[in-house]
PDB file of all heavy atoms in Angstrom:
ATOM      1  N   LEU N  78     -66.932  87.565   4.488  1.00  0.00           N
ATOM      2  CA  LEU N  78     -67.432  88.627   5.366  1.00  0.00           C
ATOM      3  C   LEU N  78     -66.964  90.001   4.939  1.00  0.00           C
ATOM      4  O   LEU N  78     -67.671  91.000   5.101  1.00  0.00           O
ATOM      5  CB  LEU N  78     -66.957  88.386   6.807  1.00  0.00           C
ATOM      6  CG  LEU N  78     -67.543  87.186   7.534  1.00  0.00           C
ATOM      7  CD1 LEU N  78     -66.864  87.003   8.877  1.00  0.00           C
ATOM      8  CD2 LEU N  78     -69.039  87.375   7.723  1.00  0.00           C
ATOM      9  N   TYR N  79     -65.739  90.092   4.411  1.00  0.00           N
ATOM     10  CA  TYR N  79     -65.118  91.390   4.157  1.00  0.00           C
ATOM     11  C   TYR N  79     -64.677  91.561   2.708  1.00  0.00           C
ATOM     12  O   TYR N  79     -63.681  92.215   2.426  1.00  0.00           O
ATOM     13  CB  TYR N  79     -63.917  91.572   5.092  1.00  0.00           C
ATOM     14  CG  TYR N  79     -64.274  91.444   6.545  1.00  0.00           C
ATOM     15  CD1 TYR N  79     -63.831  90.366   7.311  1.00  0.00           C
ATOM     16  CD2 TYR N  79     -65.075  92.391   7.163  1.00  0.00           C
ATOM     17  CE1 TYR N  79     -64.172  90.244   8.641  1.00  0.00           C
ATOM     18  CE2 TYR N  79     -65.426  92.279   8.498  1.00  0.00           C
ATOM     19  CZ  TYR N  79     -64.966  91.203   9.229  1.00  0.00           C
ATOM     20  OH  TYR N  79     -65.310  91.094  10.551  1.00  0.00           O
ATOM     21  N   SER N  80     -65.427  91.009   1.771  1.00  0.00           N
ATOM     22  CA  SER N  80     -65.042  91.087   0.360  1.00  0.00           C
ATOM     23  C   SER N  80     -65.036  92.535  -0.158  1.00  0.00           C
ATOM     24  O   SER N  80     -64.278  92.864  -1.058  1.00  0.00           O
ATOM     25  CB  SER N  80     -65.961  90.232  -0.501  1.00  0.00           C
ATOM     26  OG  SER N  80     -67.290  90.701  -0.400  1.00  0.00           O
ATOM     27  N   ASP N  81     -65.856  93.403   0.439  1.00  0.00           N
ATOM     28  CA  ASP N  81     -65.941  94.790  -0.023  1.00  0.00           C
ATOM     29  C   ASP N  81     -64.963  95.712   0.695  1.00  0.00           C
ATOM     30  O   ASP N  81     -64.883  96.892   0.386  1.00  0.00           O
ATOM     31  CB  ASP N  81     -67.362  95.316   0.169  1.00  0.00           C
ATOM     32  CG  ASP N  81     -67.805  95.274   1.621  1.00  0.00           C
ATOM     33  OD1 ASP N  81     -67.300  94.411   2.370  1.00  0.00           O
ATOM     34  OD2 ASP N  81     -68.660  96.087   2.011  1.00  0.00           O
ATOM     35  N   LEU N  82     -64.189  95.180   1.632  1.00  0.00           N
ATOM     36  CA  LEU N  82     -63.271  95.976   2.433  1.00  0.00           C
ATOM     37  C   LEU N  82     -61.842  95.690   2.006  1.00  0.00           C
ATOM     38  O   LEU N  82     -61.476  94.538   1.802  1.00  0.00           O
ATOM     39  CB  LEU N  82     -63.471  95.611   3.904  1.00  0.00           C
ATOM     40  CG  LEU N  82     -63.073  96.604   4.966  1.00  0.00           C
ATOM     41  CD1 LEU N  82     -63.732  97.957   4.753  1.00  0.00           C
ATOM     42  CD2 LEU N  82     -63.444  96.069   6.333  1.00  0.00           C
ATOM     43  N   GLU N  83     -61.039  96.742   1.861  1.00  0.00           N
ATOM     44  CA  GLU N  83     -59.643  96.551   1.486  1.00  0.00           C
ATOM     45  C   GLU N  83     -58.792  97.657   2.097  1.00  0.00           C
ATOM     46  O   GLU N  83     -59.312  98.650   2.591  1.00  0.00           O
ATOM     47  CB  GLU N  83     -59.480  96.533  -0.028  1.00  0.00           C
ATOM     48  CG  GLU N  83     -59.975  97.760  -0.715  1.00  0.00           C
ATOM     49  CD  GLU N  83     -59.977  97.649  -2.228  1.00  0.00           C
ATOM     50  OE1 GLU N  83     -60.051  96.538  -2.767  1.00  0.00           O
ATOM     51  OE2 GLU N  83     -59.907  98.704  -2.862  1.00  0.00           O
ATOM     52  N   ILE N  84     -57.479  97.473   2.054  1.00  0.00           N
ATOM     53  CA  ILE N  84     -56.565  98.482   2.558  1.00  0.00           C
ATOM     54  C   ILE N  84     -56.477  99.607   1.547  1.00  0.00           C
ATOM     55  O   ILE N  84     -56.196  99.382   0.374  1.00  0.00           O
ATOM     56  CB  ILE N  84     -55.174  97.876   2.833  1.00  0.00           C
ATOM     57  CG1 ILE N  84     -55.268  96.893   3.997  1.00  0.00           C
ATOM     58  CG2 ILE N  84     -54.154  98.974   3.133  1.00  0.00           C
ATOM     59  CD1 ILE N  84     -53.985  96.160   4.301  1.00  0.00           C
ATOM     60  N   LYS N  85     -56.738 100.818   2.023  1.00  0.00           N
ATOM     61  CA  LYS N  85     -56.691 102.004   1.167  1.00  0.00           C
ATOM     62  C   LYS N  85     -55.323 102.673   1.249  1.00  0.00           C
ATOM     63  O   LYS N  85     -54.822 103.191   0.266  1.00  0.00           O
ATOM     64  CB  LYS N  85     -57.783 102.971   1.612  1.00  0.00           C
ATOM     65  CG  LYS N  85     -57.823 104.274   0.877  1.00  0.00           C
ATOM     66  CD  LYS N  85     -58.959 105.134   1.420  1.00  0.00           C
ATOM     67  CE  LYS N  85     -58.942 106.518   0.814  1.00  0.00           C
ATOM     68  NZ  LYS N  85     -60.002 107.344   1.403  1.00  0.00           N
ATOM     69  N   ASP N  86     -54.728 102.684   2.457  1.00  0.00           N
ATOM     70  CA  ASP N  86     -53.474 103.398   2.669  1.00  0.00           C
ATOM     71  C   ASP N  86     -52.716 102.764   3.821  1.00  0.00           C
ATOM     72  O   ASP N  86     -53.321 102.245   4.757  1.00  0.00           O
ATOM     73  CB  ASP N  86     -53.781 104.863   2.980  1.00  0.00           C
ATOM     74  CG  ASP N  86     -52.570 105.783   2.938  1.00  0.00           C
ATOM     75  OD1 ASP N  86     -51.513 105.360   2.411  1.00  0.00           O
ATOM     76  OD2 ASP N  86     -52.672 106.912   3.424  1.00  0.00           O
ATOM     77  N   VAL N  87     -51.394 102.803   3.739  1.00  0.00           N
ATOM     78  CA  VAL N  87     -50.535 102.394   4.848  1.00  0.00           C
ATOM     79  C   VAL N  87     -49.985 103.683   5.432  1.00  0.00           C
ATOM     80  O   VAL N  87     -49.451 104.526   4.720  1.00  0.00           O
ATOM     81  CB  VAL N  87     -49.391 101.481   4.369  1.00  0.00           C
ATOM     82  CG1 VAL N  87     -48.457 101.146   5.515  1.00  0.00           C
ATOM     83  CG2 VAL N  87     -49.954 100.219   3.738  1.00  0.00           C
ATOM     84  N   MET N  88     -50.153 103.847   6.742  1.00  0.00           N
ATOM     85  CA  MET N  88     -49.807 105.104   7.395  1.00  0.00           C
ATOM     86  C   MET N  88     -48.619 104.920   8.311  1.00  0.00           C
ATOM     87  O   MET N  88     -48.285 103.807   8.700  1.00  0.00           O
ATOM     88  CB  MET N  88     -50.994 105.589   8.225  1.00  0.00           C
ATOM     89  CG  MET N  88     -52.279 105.697   7.446  1.00  0.00           C
ATOM     90  SD  MET N  88     -53.682 106.203   8.443  1.00  0.00           S
ATOM     91  CE  MET N  88     -53.694 105.019   9.743  1.00  0.00           C
ATOM     92  N   LYS N  89     -48.015 106.042   8.696  1.00  0.00           N
ATOM     93  CA  LYS N  89     -47.041 105.994   9.759  1.00  0.00           C
ATOM     94  C   LYS N  89     -47.804 105.630  11.027  1.00  0.00           C
ATOM     95  O   LYS N  89     -49.003 105.868  11.123  1.00  0.00           O
ATOM     96  CB  LYS N  89     -46.375 107.353   9.956  1.00  0.00           C
ATOM     97  CG  LYS N  89     -45.468 107.787   8.841  1.00  0.00           C
ATOM     98  CD  LYS N  89     -44.806 109.087   9.252  1.00  0.00           C
ATOM     99  CE  LYS N  89     -44.618 109.982   8.068  1.00  0.00           C
ATOM    100  NZ  LYS N  89     -44.124 111.287   8.468  1.00  0.00           N
ATOM    101  N   THR N  90     -47.145 105.089  12.014  1.00  0.00           N
ATOM    102  CA  THR N  90     -47.817 104.682  13.238  1.00  0.00           C
ATOM    103  C   THR N  90     -48.646 105.828  13.817  1.00  0.00           C
ATOM    104  O   THR N  90     -48.136 106.931  14.017  1.00  0.00           O
ATOM    105  CB  THR N  90     -46.786 104.208  14.284  1.00  0.00           C
ATOM    106  OG1 THR N  90     -46.031 103.172  13.687  1.00  0.00           O
ATOM    107  CG2 THR N  90     -47.454 103.681  15.529  1.00  0.00           C
ATOM    108  N   LEU N  91     -49.915 105.563  14.022  1.00  0.00           N
ATOM    109  CA  LEU N  91     -50.876 106.497  14.600  1.00  0.00           C
ATOM    110  C   LEU N  91     -50.976 107.803  13.822  1.00  0.00           C
ATOM    111  O   LEU N  91     -51.336 108.832  14.363  1.00  0.00           O
ATOM    112  CB  LEU N  91     -50.566 106.761  16.075  1.00  0.00           C
ATOM    113  CG  LEU N  91     -50.580 105.515  16.964  1.00  0.00           C
ATOM    114  CD1 LEU N  91     -50.173 105.884  18.371  1.00  0.00           C
ATOM    115  CD2 LEU N  91     -51.932 104.839  16.962  1.00  0.00           C
ATOM    116  N   ASP N  92     -50.661 107.761  12.544  1.00  0.00           N
ATOM    117  CA  ASP N  92     -50.779 108.930  11.670  1.00  0.00           C
ATOM    118  C   ASP N  92     -52.257 109.247  11.495  1.00  0.00           C
ATOM    119  O   ASP N  92     -53.069 108.368  11.302  1.00  0.00           O
ATOM    120  CB  ASP N  92     -50.136 108.593  10.320  1.00  0.00           C
ATOM    121  CG  ASP N  92     -50.119 109.760   9.364  1.00  0.00           C
ATOM    122  OD1 ASP N  92     -50.601 110.844   9.737  1.00  0.00           O
ATOM    123  OD2 ASP N  92     -49.626 109.578   8.252  1.00  0.00           O
ATOM    124  N   ASN N  93     -52.598 110.501  11.561  1.00  0.00           N
ATOM    125  CA  ASN N  93     -53.988 110.900  11.418  1.00  0.00           C
ATOM    126  C   ASN N  93     -54.103 112.000  10.366  1.00  0.00           C
ATOM    127  O   ASN N  93     -54.772 112.998  10.562  1.00  0.00           O
ATOM    128  CB  ASN N  93     -54.539 111.380  12.766  1.00  0.00           C
ATOM    129  CG  ASN N  93     -56.034 111.247  12.821  1.00  0.00           C
ATOM    130  OD1 ASN N  93     -56.637 110.611  11.969  1.00  0.00           O
ATOM    131  ND2 ASN N  93     -56.641 111.852  13.819  1.00  0.00           N
ATOM    132  N   ARG N  94     -53.406 111.802   9.246  1.00  0.00           N
ATOM    133  CA  ARG N  94     -53.361 112.842   8.219  1.00  0.00           C
ATOM    134  C   ARG N  94     -54.702 113.018   7.524  1.00  0.00           C
ATOM    135  O   ARG N  94     -55.531 112.127   7.519  1.00  0.00           O
ATOM    136  CB  ARG N  94     -52.269 112.536   7.206  1.00  0.00           C
ATOM    137  CG  ARG N  94     -52.540 111.305   6.381  1.00  0.00           C
ATOM    138  CD  ARG N  94     -51.381 110.998   5.498  1.00  0.00           C
ATOM    139  NE  ARG N  94     -51.060 109.594   5.682  1.00  0.00           N
ATOM    140  CZ  ARG N  94     -50.187 108.954   4.970  1.00  0.00           C
ATOM    141  NH1 ARG N  94     -49.516 109.576   4.054  1.00  0.00           N
ATOM    142  NH2 ARG N  94     -49.958 107.693   5.190  1.00  0.00           N
ATOM    143  N   HIS N  95     -54.865 114.160   6.914  1.00  0.00           N
ATOM    144  CA  HIS N  95     -56.078 114.466   6.161  1.00  0.00           C
ATOM    145  C   HIS N  95     -55.793 114.302   4.678  1.00  0.00           C
ATOM    146  O   HIS N  95     -54.720 114.652   4.207  1.00  0.00           O
ATOM    147  CB  HIS N  95     -56.546 115.891   6.449  1.00  0.00           C
ATOM    148  CG  HIS N  95     -56.937 116.101   7.874  1.00  0.00           C
ATOM    149  ND1 HIS N  95     -58.170 115.753   8.359  1.00  0.00           N
ATOM    150  CD2 HIS N  95     -56.236 116.582   8.925  1.00  0.00           C
ATOM    151  CE1 HIS N  95     -58.225 116.037   9.647  1.00  0.00           C
ATOM    152  NE2 HIS N  95     -57.068 116.530  10.007  1.00  0.00           N
ATOM    153  N   VAL N  96     -56.754 113.819   3.942  1.00  0.00           N
ATOM    154  CA  VAL N  96     -56.624 113.673   2.498  1.00  0.00           C
ATOM    155  C   VAL N  96     -57.166 114.935   1.857  1.00  0.00           C
ATOM    156  O   VAL N  96     -58.291 115.346   2.128  1.00  0.00           O
ATOM    157  CB  VAL N  96     -57.395 112.434   2.003  1.00  0.00           C
ATOM    158  CG1 VAL N  96     -57.301 112.322   0.492  1.00  0.00           C
ATOM    159  CG2 VAL N  96     -56.875 111.178   2.676  1.00  0.00           C
ATOM    160  N   MET N  97     -56.350 115.561   1.022  1.00  0.00           N
ATOM    161  CA  MET N  97     -56.766 116.792   0.364  1.00  0.00           C
ATOM    162  C   MET N  97     -57.475 116.471  -0.945  1.00  0.00           C
ATOM    163  O   MET N  97     -57.037 115.624  -1.704  1.00  0.00           O
ATOM    164  CB  MET N  97     -55.558 117.677   0.096  1.00  0.00           C
ATOM    165  CG  MET N  97     -54.883 118.151   1.364  1.00  0.00           C
ATOM    166  SD  MET N  97     -53.481 119.212   1.051  1.00  0.00           S
ATOM    167  CE  MET N  97     -54.256 120.612   0.298  1.00  0.00           C
ATOM    168  N   ASP N  98     -58.546 117.175  -1.200  1.00  0.00           N
ATOM    169  CA  ASP N  98     -59.290 117.037  -2.444  1.00  0.00           C
ATOM    170  C   ASP N  98     -58.678 117.999  -3.456  1.00  0.00           C
ATOM    171  O   ASP N  98     -59.052 119.167  -3.539  1.00  0.00           O
ATOM    172  CB  ASP N  98     -60.761 117.340  -2.206  1.00  0.00           C
ATOM    173  CG  ASP N  98     -61.623 117.088  -3.428  1.00  0.00           C
ATOM    174  OD1 ASP N  98     -61.073 116.894  -4.530  1.00  0.00           O
ATOM    175  OD2 ASP N  98     -62.854 117.094  -3.270  1.00  0.00           O
TER     176      ASP N  98
END
Side-chain angles (χ1 to χ4, degrees):
L78 292 174
Y79 303 111
S80 61
D81 60 332
L82 203 54
E83 58 188 25
I84 293 176
K85 177 180 174 183
D86 192 14
V87 176
M88 306 178 305
K89 291 185 215 174
T90 304
L91 301 176
D92 184 0
N93 204 12
R94 67 185 130 173
H95 296 278
V96 178
M97 296 181 65
D98 185 348

